[in-house]
């Protein structure tokens, strides 16, 4: 379910973001993907967003958040907020992109560049686009977590993250995890391998 947290389609409003997280939880979301980051601008969490993430965690909702694009190890928000799992961006060789935020507080990663479709705007042409940043890593991982729930709907957020970490491709700079291996993660939660 897409949840708009901006009044203009761009920009950011912390109050709307917090309401959007709570709304998604109250309307049945099992996984929330957060694609924005404060890029280390703040040393403490924004209280309304941190509270909404805690609310999601209390309701057994997995929150995956962009670790940021600082190329440094300092925690960013909301990825470092309690209840959220930070997601870094990896290159095609399963190494961190130089721009990806990393460190002991980040344990998950997914490809950091994705192809997609841009619908365009009033004065913009639609078509394919190529985007890079941990803002595309978090939703990629959220999609894989959704596949894991389709295999085993009883999984808790902790079980999903544990399976992803146990089956991940190790990445230097990340603690206790690595780049998601979708196939191995699905098999770990009860998926069946395709017939030979």
């Amino acid at each position: 379910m897409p949840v708009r947290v901006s009044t203009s389609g761009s920009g950011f409003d912390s109050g709307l973001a917090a309401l959007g997280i709570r709304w998604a939880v109250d309307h049945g979301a099992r996984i929330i993907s957060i694609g924005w980051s404060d890029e280390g601008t703040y040393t403490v969490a924004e209280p309304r967003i941190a509270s909404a993430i805690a609310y999601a965690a209390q309701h057994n909702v997995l929150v995956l958040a962009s670790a940021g694009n600082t190329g440094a190890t300092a925690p960013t928000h909301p990825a470092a907020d309690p209840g959220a799992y930070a997601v870094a961006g990896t290159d095609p060789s399963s190494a961190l992109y130089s721009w990806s935020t990393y460190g002991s507080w980040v344990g998950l990663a997914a490809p950091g560049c994705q192809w997609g479709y841009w619908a365009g705007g009033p004065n913009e042409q639609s078509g394919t686009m190529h985007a890079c940043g941990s803002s595309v890593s978090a939703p990629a991982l959220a999609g894989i977590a959704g596949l894991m729930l389709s295999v085993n709907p009883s999984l808790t957020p902790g079980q999903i993250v544990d399976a992803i970490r146990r089956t991940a491709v190790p990445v230097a700079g990340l603690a206790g995890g690595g780049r998601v291996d979708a196939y191995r993660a699905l098999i770990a939660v009860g998926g069946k391998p395709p017939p030979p």
Side-chain angles (χ1 to χ4, degrees):
M1 72 182 68
V3 179
R4 185 173 176 173
V5 295
S6 170
T7 56
S8 65
S10 64
F12 181 74
D13 181 300
S14 297
L16 284 179
L19 289 173
I21 292 167
R22 289 178 180 271
W23 188 89
V25 171
D26 292 342
H27 287 84
R30 301 272 318 266
I31 302 164
I32 294 176
S33 173
I34 298 175
W36 76 86
S37 166
D38 71 2
E39 299 298 347
T41 303
Y42 303 102
T43 57
V44 296
E46 201 288 331
R48 294 171 292 181
I49 294 174
S51 176
I53 289 172
Y55 178 79
Q58 291 163 359
H59 287 83
N60 217 26
V61 175
L62 176 61
V63 178
L64 298 166
S66 164
N69 305 321
T70 65
T73 60
T76 64
H77 300 282
D81 294 356
Y85 294 92
V87 184
T90 56
D91 67 19
S93 300
S94 295
L96 288 172
Y97 272 110
S98 61
W99 47 254
S100 183
T101 303
Y102 63 100
S104 61
W105 63 281
V106 182
L108 302 173
C113 292
Q114 307 286 337
W115 284 96
Y117 179 79
W118 174 253
N123 300 318
E124 300 171 325
Q125 187 173 10
S126 62
T128 59
M129 60 176 258
H130 188 250
C132 293
S134 61
S135 293
V136 301
S137 303
L141 191 59
I144 294 166
L147 287 172
M148 294 168 74
L149 282 173
S150 75
V151 168
N152 185 346
S154 68
L155 292 170
T156 66
Q159 290 170 324
I160 293 170
V161 170
D162 179 60
I164 291 170
R165 284 183 172 159
R166 282 186 290 109
T167 59
V169 175
V171 173
L174 299 184
R179 196 249 319 135
V180 64
D181 181 322
Y183 177 79
R184 291 181 61 204
L186 289 170
I187 297 299
V189 296
K192 304 294 182 219

